[in-house]
Amino acid sequence: MTKKVLIVGGVAGGASAAARLRRLDETITIIMFEKGEYISFANCGLPYHIGEVITDRNMLLVQTPEAMKARFNIDVRVQSEVLHINKETKSVTVRSLMSGDVYEETYDELILSTGSTPLKPPIPGIDAANIFSLWNIPDTDKIKAYVDDKKPARAVVIGGGFIGVEMAENLIERGINVSLVEKLDQVMAPMDKDMAALIHEELGNNGIALYLNNGVSRFVSKGEMTEIHLENGTVLDADLIILSIGIRPQSELAKAANLSTNARGGIVVDSHMRTSEPSIYAIGDVVEVEDFVTKTRTMVPLAGPANKQGRIVANIICGMDAEYAGTQGTSIVKVFDQTVAGTGLNEKTLNRMGKVYKQDYHVAIIHQKSHAGYYPGSMPMVLKLLFNLQGVILGAQIVGFDGVDKRIDVLATALRMGAKVKDLKELELAYAPPYSSAKDPVNMVGFVADNILTGKMDYVGVTELDTIDLSQVILLDVRETIERDLGYIDGSINIPLDEIRSRINELDKDKTIITYCAIGLRGYVALRILKENGFKDVKNLNGGYATYSVQKCDADKGCSIPMTESKLAFHDSGDVVDKSFEQKGQTYTLNACGLQCPGPIVQVYKRMEEMERGDVLDVTATDPGFKSDIGVWCKKTGNTLIESGKRDKVFFAIIKKGIPLNTTVATTKLPDDKTMVVFSGDLDKAIAAFIIANGAAAMGRKVTMFFTFWGLNILRKPEKISAKKDFLGAMFSSMMPRGSKRLGLSKMNMMGMGAPMIRLVMKNHGVNSLEELIQQAMDNGVNIVACNMSMDLMGITEAELMEGVTYGGVATFLGSTDDANMSLFI
């Protein structure tokens, strides 16, 4: 008897199952129902057709009903909606959307491949005509027609997942100004926050404004423009809005047939993809599957697993033994010039499972080149590996410019095969200079992970620095001086790696030492030198300053220099023109490609030394840090950055030696910051301190004021704040003045009368009050630091101090003195 198989839904899973069934059995009757017009299309390519990267729409159509019939003898019924599953009679009820006819179709086996659908929450105004979701071919046609016809100038993408990020990029390609709004604190949730910071930087460098930790409260239509009101009160204007805020499984048929589903609506299946009804199978986005690593239940909407599941179901129906082994979530996406990829677990998932960093799992972060650095076109990548204490690989994430797909596939394969980090060291991977290095990035991350497991290297993560009392450790920067000039971690000291052996006596063996360099390698070498010389507690900063600076910049929301700058004007109208500078000098080129930081900057420095004032240097580099480093270097060395950006796969900068004579520039020849320790709580001394601070700030100096002991009273709020304290703390704080308005004079206080008198004299002479001076200092960027240790001793809590105060210890203050040429004790 001929078997009859019905398939509800096409695209990846359904079409794959149908084709495999026919290849295995010519006698089976196969009928496929599809509610829409298209049974199999490249949904991952839809954003790129809107962006006109894929120009031919027909290229998105993987298979047509006519082709399926001709090649596989499959009865494909498009625009046919399956209304009900009748388990008792093993039939389905179908309605033709073209004729309106309703009929029954029986089955021996039924495959549900109904997929998922975009979420559309009940936000006021969400049905406006310029708000779209992207999920299928008709959605694509609507959005592309709107962009082609209306030519919107401003677009807002709601949601920072794969489709949201891809749509943002492709709208930028169409010349549209794009903002991206995401409810989470990062885009692309499968990536950890430290890796997502790299994506944020790339999006920002390409002109996308990010609004993180923000949701939409309502949409307000204003003609053809719509206002997007965010939860924090921000209002964005947009001509086009793309919703990409998540999906839900289309499991209504299964639920109506009383098939088992989970809390999210996913259809529950076994390892053979059978539902709770033995003759009914389910595949693709609509099903709950097993996580390959954790062996727990999950839902992962990816095309690769859907195709495999379709094939497995076809095998089983045709009498073969097959099981689905689980999904590990291997994924990859293009973000402008970068590639972002991941496989297995991330730290967020491990933490949700109760796994503790360093107690249950380790992290290795490396910065490597896509191929040999000496061969042209080598580009960097950041690779993060997660592994447990037994060395078993748990997951990996990579962000880079080239070769990312190759490495994530190797790591995904290693994970699938149960490899350990020691196996990564032993992998023999293809090598030639244009393609890789003799020690591939996969080998390198294996070496680093093995060093961690075998105790050769202890490490700290960037986020751990926030929890470490830097006054109790030595934060050792082992980079060269020229690198440190481009930025460093506050509180660190600098001993270049090659000088450590000769200067080792400058370090305290009784203290914990945290080494760091640009990417971690020199930090590890420094760690080994110190350990071999009797230092017991030495750790290396995971990923080095490159990882630290990106995460810090991400947290500070936009501290990096834009990648592309407009040409700089050499003088303003009315200035004396420096003719000698404006005259065109010689133009030189410098190829610094393949060099790791600080290589490009060092090469620029050497070449500029050989040039004359007014000469121009056109330099190219493949180190992405170069795009921000060169701007800082020019400002600090008295040279003019004319233009910077990206050409093909390299970064470039055009630099003119020197600056116009009428232009001032900050250089690093001498420190000129100002620091003060404010120990006193007297009114007159507080006034003097803030007058000096404001004067220095007005001259462009960076000022740090460190308030300790009685000086803390200057920063206290005037109102009484309820705070939990011990007995002595409560006594101390109650006896001290609350705030600047209750301070007395150091001399001639006259039972409290002196303070009002001096305030009156100041007012009569037009001198700002102490309170106005404090606010002025904050407005001028003066760093006001309250001593944590003194606060504990004096019984003062953070809640009692005014807004805008930062908190730190002695190390924080001493770090600021490194760049200061004046320190006062008041």
Side-chain angles (χ1 to χ4, degrees):
M1 182 177 176
T2 302
K3 187 177 288 187
K4 187 177 183 181
V5 178
L6 305 185
I7 302 173
V8 183
V11 195
S16 178
R20 177 67 172 172
L21 279 169
R22 178 57 71 225
R23 288 195 298 268
L24 294 177
D25 192 333
E26 271 288 309
T27 67
I28 292 179
T29 298
I30 306 170
I31 304 174
M32 179 186 292
F33 300 100
E34 173 57 52
K35 187 177 179 180
E37 294 182 59
Y38 306 95
I39 59 165
S40 185
F41 57 89
N43 44 1
C44 295
L46 302 182
Y48 300 100
H49 179 54
I50 295 169
E52 296 189 333
V53 177
I54 300 172
T55 56
D56 186 352
R57 178 181 178 276
N58 291 326
M59 294 296 292
L60 298 172
L61 305 178
V62 178
Q63 194 61 272
T64 64
E66 296 76 18
M68 286 288 280
K69 177 66 174 177
R71 177 162 296 181
F72 296 108
N73 190 26
I74 294 170
D75 183 359
V76 179
R77 302 177 188 179
V78 295
Q79 293 187 289
S80 295
E81 181 180 10
V82 177
L83 302 175
H84 303 292
I85 300 171
N86 312 304
K87 292 187 297 183
E88 297 76 12
T89 59
K90 294 187 74 171
S91 67
V92 296
T93 304
V94 186
R95 178 172 59 203
S96 170
L97 299 181
M98 292 180 286
S99 67
D101 294 341
V102 176
Y103 61 95
E104 302 281 316
E105 193 71 59
T106 61
Y107 63 82
D108 294 302
E109 311 277 359
L110 174 64
I111 303 173
L112 299 180
S113 180
T114 48
S116 54
T117 189
L119 290 174
K120 193 174 182 181
I123 301 173
I126 200 169
D127 293 319
N130 61 348
I131 301 179
F132 302 89
S133 294
L134 177 64
W135 202 243
N136 53 33
I137 294 289
D139 293 339
T140 306
D141 293 339
K142 290 176 186 176
I143 296 171
K144 189 169 189 307
Y146 192 90
V147 173
D148 293 344
D149 298 340
K150 301 290 187 180
K151 295 181 171 47
R154 300 159 298 179
V156 174
V157 177
I158 313 296
F162 284 79
I163 293 177
V165 169
E166 289 172 339
M167 275 305 305
E169 175 181 347
N170 280 281
L171 292 175
I172 286 281
E173 295 293 336
R174 293 296 301 270
I176 301 172
N177 185 296
V178 179
S179 298
L180 192 152
V181 177
E182 170 55 54
K183 181 73 171 176
L184 301 177
D185 61 355
Q186 65 168 84
V187 300
M188 298 187 65
M191 306 297 289
D192 283 318
K193 183 71 183 298
D194 51 0
M195 300 297 280
L198 298 163
I199 309 171
H200 298 165
E201 183 180 47
E202 182 72 3
L203 293 172
N205 283 340
N206 284 278
I208 293 176
L210 284 177
Y211 295 84
L212 303 175
N213 272 321
N214 233 327
V216 177
S217 61
R218 68 185 186 276
F219 299 100
V220 179
S221 293
K222 299 286 182 73
E224 292 192 347
M225 184 272 287
T226 295
E227 290 181 349
I228 301 102
H229 291 253
L230 304 185
E231 291 174 344
N232 70 347
T234 301
V235 179
L236 305 176
D237 295 337
D239 309 305
L240 170 66
I241 299 166
I242 304 293
L243 296 179
S244 181
I245 52 182
I247 59 173
R248 63 171 181 82
Q250 292 196 95
S251 55
E252 291 79 9
L253 272 176
K255 291 177 181 176
N258 291 320
L259 302 182
S260 295
T261 57
N262 64 16
R264 293 171 59 187
I267 301 174
V268 177
V269 294
D270 62 16
S271 61
H272 302 287
M273 308 310 295
R274 279 194 181 92
T275 69
S276 53
E277 181 68 25
S279 61
I280 303 177
Y281 300 82
I283 57 178
D285 292 4
V286 76
V287 302
E288 174 192 83
V289 295
E290 182 178 85
D291 184 290
F292 178 79
V293 182
T294 67
K295 306 306 178 186
T296 58
R297 307 301 291 180
T298 187
M299 296 185 71
V300 184
L302 292 171
N307 274 289
K308 294 177 182 68
Q309 292 159 13
R311 182 183 176 92
I312 286 169
V313 168
N315 289 346
I316 293 169
I317 290 174
C318 292
M320 300 170 61
D321 185 26
E323 287 189 89
Y324 186 65
T327 300
Q328 65 194 70
T330 305
S331 58
I332 191 165
V333 64
K334 175 183 177 293
V335 183
F336 291 98
D337 292 317
Q338 289 198 339
T339 301
V340 179
T343 188
L345 304 182
N346 54 33
E347 282 199 82
K348 290 175 290 188
T349 302
L350 287 167
N351 297 155
R352 283 197 300 268
M353 294 168 58
K355 303 297 183 182
V356 180
Y357 172 64
K358 290 188 177 179
Q359 294 181 24
D360 298 299
Y361 71 93
H362 284 296
V363 177
I365 298 176
I366 65 168
H367 298 249
Q368 292 290 306
K369 296 288 186 179
S370 58
H371 60 248
Y374 57 83
Y375 187 88
S378 176
M379 298 294 284
M381 66 176 67
V382 183
L383 197 159
K384 177 176 182 177
L385 185 73
L386 305 177
F387 52 100
N388 67 18
L389 273 57
Q390 291 72 46
V392 176
I393 300 168
L394 302 175
Q397 299 162 47
I398 310 179
V399 178
F401 292 86
D402 193 21
V404 170
D405 54 342
K406 170 182 174 179
R407 276 63 187 219
I408 202 66
D409 284 344
V410 172
L411 290 167
T413 303
L415 189 156
R416 176 66 63 160
M417 299 304 169
K420 294 187 176 182
V421 296
K422 65 179 182 180
D423 299 311
L424 300 182
K425 300 188 304 174
E426 306 300 329
L427 288 178
E428 185 176 332
L429 303 173
Y431 161 59
Y435 304 106
S436 183
S437 301
K439 290 184 285 190
D440 189 85
V442 172
N443 298 134
M444 290 301 298
V445 79
F447 295 144
V448 173
D450 188 64
N451 284 338
I452 292 171
L453 287 175
T454 56
K456 294 182 180 64
M457 184 185 79
D458 196 359
Y459 68 98
V460 296
V462 167
T463 55
E464 287 182 83
L465 292 181
D466 296 332
T467 64
I468 293 174
D469 183 356
L470 295 183
S471 66
Q472 302 302 311
V473 305
I474 297 173
L475 192 54
L476 180 60
D477 182 348
V478 301
R479 299 173 300 159
E480 297 301 315
T481 303
I482 192 171
E483 295 175 83
R484 189 172 171 86
D485 285 344
L486 301 175
Y488 56 88
I489 301 175
D490 289 342
S492 64
I493 64 171
N494 181 220
I495 302 179
L497 176 61
D498 295 341
E499 299 178 20
I500 284 182
R501 291 183 180 88
S502 62
R503 298 174 59 183
I504 205 164
N505 291 333
E506 297 178 27
L507 301 173
D508 187 346
K509 287 187 176 182
D510 294 328
K511 282 195 170 184
T512 297
I513 298 179
I514 300 173
T515 61
Y516 78 89
C517 63
I519 61 173
L521 179 58
R522 284 174 292 167
Y524 169 64
V525 175
L527 176 148
R528 294 308 307 163
I529 292 172
L530 294 174
K531 295 280 278 187
E532 291 296 318
N533 280 275
F535 288 77
K536 302 298 183 186
D537 191 7
V538 189
K539 308 175 192 295
N540 189 24
L541 180 63
N542 213 348
Y545 186 76
T547 297
Y548 170 85
S549 60
V550 171
Q551 290 191 56
K552 185 177 187 301
C553 181
D554 190 53
D556 292 346
K557 296 294 182 293
C559 62
S560 63
I561 295 173
M563 184 177 73
T564 304
E565 299 181 5
S566 59
K567 293 189 176 182
L568 304 178
F570 292 149
H571 60 86
D572 296 323
S573 178
D575 289 340
V576 176
V577 178
D578 179 7
K579 295 293 185 182
S580 64
F581 185 78
E582 288 201 336
Q583 289 173 355
K584 184 174 177 61
Q586 295 292 317
T587 297
Y588 300 90
T589 60
L590 172 64
N591 184 348
C593 295
L595 297 178
Q596 194 91 9
C597 177
I601 295 296
V602 171
Q603 293 300 313
V604 169
Y605 171 76
K606 289 179 179 178
R607 181 59 61 88
M608 295 287 279
E609 285 287 293
E610 302 167 355
M611 293 164 49
E612 299 294 328
R613 186 170 181 274
D615 287 347
V616 173
L617 180 64
D618 186 336
V619 56
T620 54
T622 49
D623 178 13
F626 176 76
K627 65 182 182 286
S628 56
D629 289 348
I630 194 62
V632 176
W633 183 84
C634 286
K635 289 178 181 178
K636 289 197 170 188
T637 57
N639 294 292
T640 301
L641 178 63
I642 298 174
E643 188 178 1
S644 66
K646 202 162 187 295
R647 298 178 189 141
D648 297 325
K649 287 190 174 183
V650 299
F651 303 100
F652 77 92
I654 299 174
I655 309 160
K656 198 164 192 178
K657 183 168 181 176
I659 58 171
L661 295 177
N662 61 321
T663 305
T664 59
V665 65
T667 69
T668 56
K669 292 182 180 178
L670 291 173
D672 60 2
D673 294 352
K674 314 298 177 187
T675 58
M676 302 181 195
V677 176
V678 184
F679 178 86
S680 171
D682 296 325
L683 175 64
D684 45 337
K685 295 176 182 178
I687 292 169
F690 277 99
I691 288 175
I692 295 170
N694 282 319
M699 296 173 65
R701 305 297 188 255
K702 182 179 178 181
V703 182
T704 298
M705 302 178 75
F706 188 73
F707 289 79
T708 184
F709 284 94
W710 316 113
L712 291 170
N713 294 317
I714 302 169
L715 307 180
R716 293 183 75 182
K717 295 176 182 176
E719 66 272 15
K720 187 173 183 179
I721 304 295
S722 177
K724 186 177 181 180
K725 304 178 182 181
D726 58 28
F727 176 75
L728 288 176
M731 289 290 292
F732 256 114
S733 61
S734 65
M735 292 186 291
M736 294 187 297
R738 286 199 305 271
S740 58
K741 291 186 177 179
R742 299 191 181 186
L743 302 179
L745 294 179
S746 61
K747 305 290 184 183
M748 298 175 61
N749 193 40
M750 297 183 294
M751 301 293 289
M753 292 297 295
M757 291 174 62
I758 196 68
R759 285 179 178 272
L760 179 62
V761 172
M762 292 170 65
K763 183 178 180 181
N764 291 339
H765 284 78
V767 179
N768 289 335
S769 68
L770 175 56
E771 293 72 35
E772 290 170 328
L773 291 170
I774 293 172
Q775 186 59 53
Q776 192 178 82
M778 289 184 172
D779 293 342
N780 288 336
V782 173
N783 187 21
I784 298 176
V785 183
C787 175
N788 291 122
M789 182 272 291
S790 297
M791 290 171 63
D792 292 339
L793 295 178
M794 308 297 284
I796 296 175
T797 64
E798 290 185 15
E800 294 176 89
L801 299 186
M802 63 178 62
E803 303 298 327
V805 173
T806 58
Y807 303 90
V810 174
T812 301
F813 174 71
L814 293 178
S816 65
T817 64
D818 290 343
D819 293 323
N821 65 359
M822 181 193 82
S823 291
L824 300 179
F825 188 91
I826 298 176

